[in-house]
Amino acid sequence: MHSDRDSEITLDEDSQPNDEVMPYSDDETEDELESQQPGVEPEQNQINREAEESRETLKRECSWQVKANDRNFHEQPQFQKTTLLCFKKSKYAGNAIKTYKYNPITFLPLNLLEQFKRVANFYFLVLLILQTVPQITTLSWYTTLVPLLLVLGVTAVKDLVDDIARHRMDNEINNRTCDVIRDGRFKTAKWKDIQVGDVIRLKKNAFVPADILLLSSSEPNSLCYVETAELDGETNLKFKMSPDITDKYLQEEGAMAEFDGIIECEEPNNRLDKFTGTLIWRGMRYPLDADKILLRGCKIRNTDFCHGVVIFAGADTKIMKNSGKTRFKRTKIDSLMNYMVYTIFILLILVSAGLAIGHTYWEQQIGNTSWYLYDGEDYSPPYRGFLNFWGYIIVLNTMVPISLYVSVEVIRLGQSYFINWDLQMYYPEKDTAAKARTTTLNEQLGQIHYIFSDKTGTLTQNIMTFKKCCINGQTYGESRDELGQLQNHEEQVDFSWNMYADGKLAFYDHYLIEKLRCGKETEVQQFFFLLAICHTVMVDVSDGQLNYQAASPDEGALVTAARNFGFAFLSRTQNTITISEMGIERTYDVLAILDFNSDRKRMSVIVRKPDGNIKLYCKGADTVIYERLHPVNPQRQTTQDALDIFANETLRTLCLCYKDISHSEYEAWNKKFMEASVATSNRDQALDKVYEEIEKNLILLGATAIEDKLQDGVPEAISKLAKADIKIWVLTGDKKETAENIGFSCELLTDETTICYGEDISALLQTRLENQNNKVDSNRNSSRRTNEPFFQSGKNRALIITGSWLNEILLEKKKKKKKLLKLKFPRTVEERGKHIQSKRRADTNKEQQQRNFVDLACECSAVICCRVTPKQKAMVVELVKKYKKAITLAIGDGANDVNMIKTAHIGVGISGQEGMQAVMSSDYSLGQFRYLQRLLLVHGRWSYIRMCKFLRYFFYKNFAFTLVHFWYSFFNGYSAQTVYEDWFITLYNVLYSSLPVLLVGLLDQDVSDKLSLRFPGLYISGQRDLLFNYKKFFISLIHGIITSLIIFFIPYGAYLQTMGQDGEAPSDYQSFAVTAASSLIIAVNFQMGLDTSYWTFVNAFSIFGSIALYFGIMFDLHSAGIHVLFPASFQFTGTAPNALRQPYLWLTIILSVAVCSLPVVALRFLSMTIWPSESDKVQKNRKKYKAEEQWKRRQSTFRRGISTRRSAYAFSHQRGYADLIASGRNIRKKRASLDAVLRHHVAEAGQIGETS
């Protein structure tokens, strides 16, 4: 029996995911989904659907209206939206970008509000208020006010500095300029002043400031070439074209100023590749699509100027809609620290309550019967106990460390500067240093489990280089001399004989040049001739230099290589192409261009040579070329072997072939070709079928090998990070073949890796989900969770999955709703219940399927997700965060990576080819991917170790300091009297014990940076939270309790029955306070010395300087002079000089410090000897490691005939420029005068009117 649940999880066989398609189903409407999947439906249903769609279309059409050159139009009441209470504002966003949090008016109130959201700060504010109540407090108000003001002040200054930096960056973007129509003329305006409906002019190499409708440009037919690297990471050019009507009429400035067209279109959304709208002008409606829209973030290329009208501005633009929400990021240690503060609160309340009960009992037994203790107040013992509860809350308040948060901020700020100053992460080629753009996440860098990396521009340089080739069975590209003998040293080929050489190609095989120039082997010349003629590249000549604009970087690299080898593509018209062949210019008739698409994986051109012969030249992926070769191809196997070698070297390969065509064959084929070209339905399929007829019985000429150059040091960095147990996932919008190729290049994948694809794991996951559901059905109390692995252990596996399969597997793909004849009856209670139950079941299935996918993916050593959208990148990161509870890092360089960078716990931006969008949204920015290993393994690990050591010590010193009051309570009737004087309590955390712990938090390191990189396994302690957790917290608590016992009871025992050498008794309360305080300061500072791994002069000075500072300040505060000036505040007059001249007291201090420190020394010695950590082992042998060995890249072992991987040629993600070339729309013609154009259009309009 087929259940409803089964039908919900079954994959739709009719709509298998397309690996080549970039899915955008997260925002697709039901209508769009249905238009993609036409199906047969009953006639009545069709009538109902069309009627409903027409009504919905009318509603949608008017949802977003833009009128050119009319700002008042957008202020009308129907375009207003309510914001706060009854206030209204326009729904059209301004173009200013805002990332800052404060302005001069809101800074103080908002910052204080944010700071008092921290429980500790709010607690101390309440404490300060309590200290003003005389019946409660035994401490002066300034003991809390001074530290609180210091904490609030330091944090506010830091927040102010951060926000000023954000203001500057916003201003830099918002103050960029472009030309805008004002008062009938183009005037320079700032980006932030642009509004919806403005007509703007953009010049060559300018960024597009908003989403605009292209109206006209300097190019023929108002073409505009743009680079979309900021949007999708692709640096190849794409072309946009204005509507024909605006191209004809909107060329002059006056016409632009008078333009009053209305654009009706969809609401702002994040779909980068879709746009639906209509231009209404002069009573006519013109359709608009994505090819006519320039998106914010694009860059104008090869177009002198263009004009456009702003449709979406600022936050409404597609790039901003893809950016995702800015998330408040906190570290794992931050969360843990807050829970520990809550634990301390509970301890504080329990201890205070216990002591308050003790005081109540003491009052009943002793206080009421002792007349000399009467204070003039007739309070009952329970009420006195209640007052003492609050008194102890105040006295023991230092258990909750007020300076903890500000100290943490200071340490993080210092660590951020160390990252900024690290010269080993400086990239000199672009003068780019590493930058910590946030100061709150440094220690989280030492706890990363997963890295999610973009490919293009992050792992690669996005530069394609011609490396090797195979011509007529002979492989070229090794370092050889003119005779073909291998050379020991590389000597670059001199291309100075070629006037068109660009001088940038590094090639070392002189043998190929010799064969090419002597002209004996015609196949060599024909090889480069094919590269020069079989393409859709367009050429632009500026300053006498040829500039190629290609639909993909690979195609550009091949045409450039042909140019350097003497076959330079010079120009083309609609039907011809001109090439310089070894210095001789020849023009060929182009009879047909058989363009590339993702199914064909090849392209061909048919040309007529000057002698009248017709030839077809073809290039494409070897898998499709080999199927179409002539049965007799002598070089088939040798070329296959060369392809295997190229593929094993992770080069991107491409096969070249040709075919002679007779005139009669061409004429017959051309007739079919022309018929297919004008087909009204299924034109693409008809053309592909015609192409197949001519592209057969091809003669193999050879193969090319292109290197998609990795950034320097990427394989080494990935290897080091893998040894640190960090898993790396690659998330890219690029093709599957290209992504897989880079996986091999950077050694994420090896020949021993078993690769699983989306179609492989889909059935596996579906079976697992069905089994889990059956298990739940059979036993309602059982859990869906299962820990059974998906794969057998022992094999090295990798997962490569496309965006379409990702949506299918994760049940993110929207289902087409079956629209039957709708009779609107109210639902019964039973129907509503079934609907809710069905929806709940579907949500449960979806969550379980996502969990299963994450479990399966995490069993793989590497994961590559290709053809994924920005939202999908963020979704993958979110799933790993949600189901693995792991710390994640995302790294990218383009605007398409922003969402992922914001979603991950830590975002890293690469200052690369694709602008600054990723860097602006990141937490850290680097010049190159390879610096990530130093950022994590050195700075991240050090930051984590320092922060953990700082927190353990900080809690310890505060417990040791505060709990002395607890032991003292048993001897003072639980009266909330303090052991120390008020000024010691005020300055303990501010001056006496702050500097050593701060310096350890800033400077300490267990091993050097070189050893940290050499032994990546040291990083694992941070991933496992070994250095700071609840166990370590309670160890610090117990250590503090023991220290406080020693600090109190050794002086107490020494003072119990003691007489000084001068006959005076030094055992008064004030002398005892000085002894206990002195023992505490020396003990906790010495303890910090024991915890220090990396000694410098600064550390030593801070420890001994803090002790000296304590004694110096104490003698000043106990002097008679200050008591005369402030008698109420300084009551320990003469105590320090009197007490500290007693040798007996010094012996007591020394004994207390020794008893505190010696057991710690003994324990440390035993642990390092018996249970040494990895860090201890490396420290012990660090002298042996002084001779550092360079990491040697593992040599790939090639076994002939075994490698089956094909390194497919990476064509562009869209069709090439073939249609554009064939139509002639890109060819410059003499433009008709404006009057002639107007007369022509009026005549056309008249004819249309007569016809209608």
Side-chain angles (χ1 to χ4, degrees):
M1 186 174 176
H2 198 62
S3 67
D4 291 339
R5 184 187 65 246
D6 294 333
S7 65
E8 286 167 9
I9 61 173
T10 302
L11 294 177
D12 187 356
E13 298 294 338
D14 298 330
S15 58
Q16 286 292 303
N18 185 346
D19 286 343
E20 301 294 337
V21 174
M22 180 90 77
Y24 278 91
S25 61
D26 45 6
D27 273 325
E28 284 172 347
T29 63
E30 296 296 340
D31 301 294
E32 289 168 332
L33 285 166
E34 287 174 3
S35 65
Q36 292 169 10
Q37 299 176 354
V40 180
E41 57 184 334
E43 184 180 354
Q44 184 59 48
N45 286 359
Q46 187 176 359
I47 294 168
N48 291 342
R49 179 175 58 77
E50 288 174 355
E52 186 177 340
E53 282 180 357
S54 64
R55 286 195 299 271
E56 290 176 357
T57 304
L58 285 172
K59 290 178 186 175
R60 285 199 308 271
E61 271 185 346
C62 299
S63 61
W64 193 266
Q65 291 185 323
V66 175
K67 187 172 183 181
N69 291 316
D70 188 354
R71 290 191 169 188
N72 294 328
F73 177 81
H74 308 106
E75 299 296 330
Q76 294 180 70
Q78 66 265 34
F79 302 131
Q80 301 283 313
K81 64 178 180 181
T82 304
T83 52
L84 181 66
L85 300 176
C86 58
F87 295 101
K88 291 189 174 183
K89 59 177 279 190
S90 173
K91 71 173 184 177
Y92 300 94
N95 204 43
I97 298 298
K98 173 188 169 185
T99 61
Y100 60 84
K101 296 197 302 191
Y102 312 112
N103 61 39
I105 297 171
T106 62
F107 172 71
L108 199 58
L110 281 181
N111 189 261
L112 286 175
L113 181 65
E114 281 188 5
Q115 291 205 59
F116 282 120
K117 283 181 181 177
R118 281 181 170 170
V119 180
N121 289 347
F122 183 72
Y123 164 77
F124 279 99
L125 181 65
V126 173
L127 204 68
L128 186 62
I129 296 168
L130 287 176
Q131 282 183 285
T132 60
V133 181
Q135 290 88 349
I136 294 175
T137 186
T138 56
L139 271 176
S140 302
W141 53 269
Y142 53 77
T143 57
T144 301
L145 181 65
V146 172
L148 183 61
L149 285 178
L150 185 70
V151 167
L152 296 176
V154 170
T155 307
V157 169
K158 178 191 151 302
D159 290 343
L160 181 63
V161 170
D162 286 348
D163 210 55
I164 287 172
R166 283 191 286 267
H167 269 278
R168 285 176 181 161
M169 193 157 287
D170 288 346
N171 289 335
E172 183 183 337
I173 292 173
N174 292 332
N175 290 329
R176 290 178 181 173
T177 60
C178 69
D179 295 338
V180 182
I181 289 283
R182 292 277 188 278
D183 304 322
R185 301 294 303 274
F186 275 115
K187 296 181 180 177
T188 301
K190 294 179 179 178
W191 278 22
K192 64 181 179 183
D193 298 326
I194 294 172
Q195 292 185 18
V196 169
D198 285 353
V199 175
I200 64 175
R201 177 169 64 195
L202 300 172
K203 296 177 182 175
K204 191 174 182 178
N205 296 327
F207 280 104
V208 180
D211 291 354
I212 66 173
L213 167 64
L214 180 63
L215 297 177
S216 62
S217 78
S218 57
E219 295 299 299
N221 295 286
S222 288
L223 280 174
C224 180
Y225 298 98
V226 293
E227 185 182 276
T228 59
E230 280 279 340
L231 298 176
D232 54 20
E234 297 174 17
T235 53
N236 50 290
L237 293 190
K238 298 178 177 63
F239 64 87
K240 304 287 183 178
M241 188 179 293
S242 73
D244 290 340
I245 184 69
T246 59
D247 171 50
K248 288 180 181 178
Y249 289 108
L250 300 181
Q251 295 293 337
E252 304 298 328
E253 188 176 58
M256 295 284 176
E258 293 173 4
F259 177 56
D260 60 352
I262 293 178
I263 295 103
E264 292 182 349
C265 63
E266 60 194 14
E267 291 280 334
N269 57 67
N270 69 349
R271 291 170 290 176
L272 296 174
D273 67 336
K274 288 185 173 65
F275 179 83
T276 306
T278 304
L279 170 63
I280 304 170
W281 189 36
R282 298 181 176 178
M284 301 290 287
R285 302 175 73 89
Y286 306 93
L288 304 176
D289 56 30
D291 289 336
K292 297 175 176 60
I293 304 299
L294 304 184
L295 300 181
R296 180 179 177 130
C298 293
K299 200 170 190 178
I300 307 296
R301 294 286 197 190
N302 288 68
T303 306
D304 293 334
F305 62 84
C306 66
H307 305 108
V309 58
V310 177
I311 298 176
F312 303 130
D316 291 334
T317 57
K318 291 182 183 286
I319 190 173
M320 296 305 293
K321 288 285 183 183
N322 266 292
S323 295
K325 292 182 179 177
T326 300
R327 302 167 188 241
F328 176 65
K329 296 184 179 181
R330 295 172 62 189
T331 66
K332 199 173 182 180
I333 282 183
D334 262 337
S335 303
L336 192 60
M337 201 162 62
N338 281 344
Y339 282 119
M340 288 174 179
V341 169
Y342 297 146
T343 305
I344 295 171
F345 278 153
I346 294 168
L347 284 174
L348 175 63
I349 291 168
L350 291 175
V351 169
S352 298
L355 294 174
I357 291 167
H359 182 71
T360 303
Y361 177 78
W362 185 87
E363 276 288 332
Q364 288 174 339
Q365 300 298 318
I366 299 172
N368 282 345
T369 59
S370 305
W371 57 268
Y372 54 85
L373 295 175
Y374 181 64
D375 58 0
E377 301 288 349
D378 296 320
Y379 296 144
S380 65
Y383 184 66
R384 286 181 182 274
F386 172 74
L387 292 178
N388 257 38
F389 170 77
W390 296 106
Y392 270 114
I393 291 286
I394 294 170
V395 168
L396 301 176
N397 75 76
T398 46
M399 279 178 70
V400 181
I402 186 171
S403 58
L404 173 65
Y405 290 103
V406 72
S407 301
V408 166
E409 296 296 338
V410 170
I411 288 170
R412 286 172 173 166
L413 185 65
Q415 289 167 346
S416 298
Y417 279 114
F418 292 149
I419 291 172
N420 297 347
W421 294 337
D422 191 342
L423 290 177
Q424 293 190 53
M425 293 198 294
Y426 171 71
Y427 187 46
E429 288 187 26
K430 291 192 175 178
D431 190 27
T432 304
K435 184 170 178 59
R437 297 172 48 78
T438 182
T439 58
T440 58
L441 301 172
N442 295 329
E443 68 273 11
Q444 191 103 302
L445 290 170
Q447 298 181 282
I448 302 299
H449 293 86
Y450 291 88
I451 292 174
F452 299 91
S453 174
D454 178 40
K455 181 193 75 70
T456 308
T458 303
L459 297 177
T460 68
Q461 299 179 29
N462 207 20
I463 299 171
M464 305 299 169
T465 310
F466 182 86
K467 294 295 286 185
K468 292 184 178 182
C469 61
C470 174
I471 306 173
N472 201 27
Q474 174 74 41
T475 301
Y476 302 94
E478 300 293 340
S479 180
R480 295 189 291 184
D481 60 18
E482 289 84 353
L483 301 175
Q485 300 298 316
L486 288 172
Q487 292 179 305
N488 294 325
H489 63 282
E490 289 186 341
E491 183 182 343
Q492 196 165 318
V493 168
D494 181 14
F495 288 107
S496 59
W497 54 269
N498 178 9
M499 63 181 291
Y500 291 110
D502 63 359
K504 297 176 183 176
L505 179 63
F507 199 75
Y508 303 96
D509 196 339
H510 296 260
Y511 188 46
L512 176 59
I513 302 299
E514 184 64 25
K515 280 193 172 185
L516 182 68
R517 296 188 70 183
C518 73
K520 290 180 181 178
E521 289 193 23
T522 56
E523 289 86 355
V524 174
Q525 295 195 341
Q526 195 168 9
F527 180 90
F528 289 106
F529 173 76
L530 191 155
L531 292 180
I533 202 167
C534 183
H535 56 79
T536 58
V537 171
M538 287 183 277
V539 65
D540 176 40
V541 181
S542 59
D543 300 327
Q545 294 294 318
L546 297 174
N547 296 315
Y548 293 147
Q549 303 302 332
S552 77
D554 303 68
E555 192 159 63
L558 291 174
V559 177
T560 303
R563 166 187 175 176
N564 282 288
F565 282 101
F567 289 79
F569 161 53
L570 300 181
S571 65
R572 76 186 329 143
T573 66
Q574 185 174 349
N575 301 312
T576 65
I577 184 168
T578 303
I579 294 171
S580 169
E581 301 173 31
M582 304 300 286
I584 303 170
E585 284 191 23
R586 291 192 178 96
T587 300
Y588 298 87
D589 293 329
V590 179
L591 303 179
I593 299 178
L594 286 55
D595 202 5
F596 161 83
N597 66 37
S598 57
D599 294 323
R600 285 168 39 75
K601 290 186 171 64
R602 64 190 183 279
M603 78 155 291
S604 304
V605 294
I606 301 175
V607 297
R608 180 184 284 118
K609 292 196 166 187
D611 58 8
N613 289 331
I614 298 174
K615 273 198 173 184
L616 177 143
Y617 294 99
C618 179
K619 66 182 181 185
D622 51 0
T623 51
V624 294
I625 295 295
Y626 266 61
E627 294 170 0
R628 290 159 178 81
L629 291 180
H630 192 279
V632 181
N633 257 295
Q635 305 304 334
R636 184 184 188 121
Q637 187 55 47
T638 51
T639 306
Q640 176 89 35
D641 294 341
L643 285 167
D644 287 340
I645 295 171
F646 296 159
N648 209 63
E649 294 173 0
T650 69
L651 300 174
R652 297 157 74 134
T653 58
L654 168 74
C655 284
L656 309 185
C657 51
Y658 69 95
K659 173 186 177 180
D660 291 309
I661 302 175
S662 66
H663 287 273
S664 58
E665 184 183 0
Y666 171 72
E667 291 298 336
W669 178 85
N670 190 47
K671 187 177 179 182
K672 296 178 183 178
F673 174 63
M674 297 307 293
E675 288 174 358
S677 299
V678 295
T680 54
S681 62
N682 298 324
R683 182 182 300 172
D684 288 343
Q685 290 88 333
L687 283 171
D688 286 349
K689 188 177 179 182
V690 174
Y691 293 165
E692 283 283 350
E693 292 182 14
I694 198 78
E695 291 174 327
K696 59 187 178 182
N697 293 326
L698 305 173
I699 306 301
L700 185 63
L701 189 56
T704 60
I706 291 177
E707 181 183 34
D708 184 1
K709 294 193 74 171
L710 286 175
Q711 292 183 9
D712 294 337
V714 167
E716 292 87 345
I718 286 176
S719 175
K720 284 276 173 65
L721 294 170
K723 288 177 183 175
D725 201 25
I726 299 173
K727 292 183 172 62
I728 298 177
W729 293 23
V730 177
L731 310 179
T732 177
D734 219 331
K735 292 178 60 180
K736 184 167 74 173
E737 292 87 354
T738 312
E740 184 176 337
N741 216 38
I742 291 300
F744 280 95
S745 296
C746 62
E747 300 188 4
L748 268 177
L749 309 175
T750 64
D751 288 338
E752 292 77 33
T753 304
T754 303
I755 299 176
C756 304
Y757 296 98
E759 51 269 33
D760 301 326
I761 68 164
S762 178
L764 199 62
L765 289 169
Q766 187 176 335
T767 304
R768 172 66 63 91
L769 183 58
E770 288 174 355
N771 291 341
Q772 289 169 334
N773 287 335
N774 292 334
K775 185 180 176 183
V776 172
D777 286 344
S778 61
N779 183 3
R780 291 289 174 186
N781 297 323
S782 68
S783 171
R784 285 172 174 263
R785 193 84 175 103
T786 177
N787 293 321
E788 296 175 12
F790 285 87
F791 304 115
Q792 293 178 354
S793 59
K795 278 191 177 181
N796 185 18
R797 282 185 173 81
L799 173 62
I800 298 179
I801 186 168
T802 59
S804 300
W805 273 110
L806 201 60
N807 270 0
E808 189 83 26
I809 289 169
L810 299 180
L811 306 179
E812 290 286 343
K813 186 176 178 183
K814 291 189 178 180
K815 303 295 181 187
K816 177 187 171 185
K817 292 181 181 177
K818 294 178 180 177
K819 291 193 178 180
L820 302 174
L821 181 61
K822 291 187 179 179
L823 299 175
K824 300 200 173 183
F825 294 111
R827 279 182 174 175
T828 64
V829 175
E830 186 181 355
E831 285 176 336
R832 282 200 298 269
K834 280 185 177 179
H835 176 71
I836 292 170
Q837 190 176 2
S838 174
K839 190 173 183 301
R840 190 181 295 126
R841 192 188 299 121
D843 290 341
T844 306
N845 280 336
K846 181 176 176 180
E847 182 178 347
Q848 187 60 48
Q849 182 80 333
Q850 290 178 344
R851 186 190 295 275
N852 290 343
F853 170 75
V854 172
D855 289 342
L856 183 147
C858 291
E859 286 183 28
C860 299
S861 58
V863 177
I864 299 175
C865 301
C866 39
R867 305 302 280 150
V868 288
T869 67
K871 268 201 168 184
Q872 283 181 311
K873 288 184 177 185
M875 180 184 72
V876 171
V877 176
E878 188 62 49
L879 287 176
V880 174
K881 283 173 63 178
K882 181 179 178 181
Y883 294 118
K884 285 297 173 182
K885 307 296 181 190
I887 306 299
T888 58
L889 179 146
I891 180 168
D893 69 324
N896 57 329
D897 304 314
V898 168
N899 208 345
M900 170 178 76
I901 284 170
K902 287 182 175 180
T903 302
H905 291 100
I906 291 178
V908 179
I910 299 286
S911 304
Q913 303 273 344
E914 303 178 15
M916 297 295 287
Q917 197 76 22
V919 169
M920 286 171 59
S921 302
S922 66
D923 306 306
Y924 299 87
S925 64
L926 301 172
Q928 293 271 279
F929 179 88
R930 68 177 182 271
Y931 300 139
L932 185 63
Q933 63 173 328
R934 185 170 179 84
L935 183 69
L936 300 187
L937 302 184
V938 177
H939 291 284
R941 201 180 74 82
W942 279 352
S943 295
Y944 173 73
I945 290 171
R946 291 164 178 169
M947 186 60 70
C948 293
K949 192 173 282 190
F950 164 80
L951 290 172
R952 293 200 308 264
Y953 176 77
F954 204 95
F955 284 126
Y956 156 74
K957 76 182 182 72
N958 272 52
F959 289 139
F961 165 62
T962 306
L963 291 177
V964 175
H965 295 299
F966 177 77
W967 308 119
Y968 185 48
S969 299
F970 293 99
F971 300 92
N972 65 14
Y974 311 98
S975 59
Q977 184 185 352
T978 57
V979 179
Y980 318 110
E981 66 161 326
D982 290 355
W983 282 106
F984 177 79
I985 294 171
T986 304
L987 299 175
Y988 175 75
N989 274 322
V990 176
L991 290 178
Y992 300 156
S993 63
S994 59
L995 193 57
V997 70
L998 276 176
L999 288 175
V1000 163
L1002 285 169
L1003 303 175
D1004 202 46
Q1005 48 183 268
D1006 54 345
V1007 298
S1008 67
D1009 56 342
K1010 291 180 180 177
L1011 290 177
S1012 295
L1013 289 171
R1014 183 171 176 179
F1015 297 98
L1018 296 172
Y1019 188 83
I1020 294 172
S1021 61
Q1023 294 173 324
R1024 297 179 182 173
D1025 301 322
L1026 297 180
L1027 301 185
F1028 187 68
N1029 46 44
Y1030 258 103
K1031 179 184 174 183
K1032 296 291 184 183
F1033 170 74
F1034 282 112
I1035 289 173
S1036 295
L1037 173 60
I1038 293 166
H1039 190 188
I1041 290 171
I1042 294 170
T1043 301
S1044 66
L1045 270 168
I1046 295 167
I1047 294 298
F1048 178 80
F1049 281 104
I1050 287 183
Y1052 175 77
Y1055 273 42
L1056 197 57
Q1057 293 178 340
T1058 303
M1059 186 68 67
Q1061 62 182 14
D1062 54 0
E1064 296 178 3
S1067 52
D1068 61 289
Y1069 158 70
Q1070 292 188 343
S1071 297
F1072 176 80
V1074 168
T1075 307
S1078 302
S1079 301
L1080 177 70
I1081 292 297
I1082 296 171
V1084 296
N1085 278 290
F1086 276 19
Q1087 178 65 43
M1088 190 72 267
L1090 293 175
D1091 283 339
T1092 301
S1093 301
Y1094 183 66
W1095 277 95
T1096 63
F1097 169 77
V1098 178
N1099 291 85
F1101 179 79
S1102 70
I1103 289 171
F1104 294 106
S1106 294
I1107 296 171
L1109 184 69
Y1110 158 72
F1111 283 109
I1113 291 177
M1114 183 176 65
F1115 275 100
D1116 285 341
L1117 297 181
H1118 292 188
S1119 65
I1122 200 165
H1123 175 71
V1124 171
L1125 293 173
F1126 307 101
S1129 300
F1130 299 95
Q1131 299 172 351
F1132 274 53
T1133 310
T1135 303
N1138 180 56
L1140 295 178
R1141 62 189 175 86
Q1142 303 285 349
Y1144 185 81
L1145 190 147
W1146 283 105
L1147 288 172
T1148 303
I1149 292 173
I1150 292 169
L1151 179 63
S1152 301
V1153 173
V1155 173
C1156 285
S1157 303
L1158 289 177
V1160 176
V1161 173
L1163 280 171
R1164 295 279 166 85
F1165 175 77
L1166 285 173
S1167 67
M1168 290 183 70
T1169 307
I1170 302 171
W1171 309 287
S1173 65
E1174 286 298 317
S1175 174
D1176 294 334
K1177 293 174 185 175
V1178 173
Q1179 274 183 305
K1180 187 177 180 181
N1181 297 314
R1182 63 183 181 274
K1183 290 182 180 178
K1184 286 164 54 179
Y1185 303 136
K1186 278 190 177 179
E1188 302 277 344
E1189 287 183 6
Q1190 291 294 328
W1191 184 88
K1192 293 179 181 177
R1193 183 172 175 179
R1194 179 182 57 77
Q1195 295 296 321
S1196 178
T1197 56
F1198 169 66
R1199 292 169 290 173
R1200 181 176 293 277
I1202 291 181
S1203 177
T1204 57
R1205 185 171 61 81
R1206 282 269 73 66
S1207 178
Y1209 177 63
F1211 288 91
S1212 67
H1213 301 162
Q1214 57 185 11
R1215 294 180 74 93
Y1217 299 140
D1219 290 342
L1220 192 62
I1221 294 164
S1223 67
R1225 287 174 292 179
N1226 65 316
I1227 310 302
R1228 292 187 178 276
K1229 300 172 184 174
K1230 185 176 180 182
R1231 194 181 292 278
S1233 67
L1234 187 60
D1235 292 338
V1237 170
L1238 287 171
R1239 283 198 300 272
H1240 176 68
H1241 188 76
V1242 170
E1244 277 187 350
Q1247 289 174 4
I1248 292 168
E1250 289 171 9
T1251 306
S1252 61

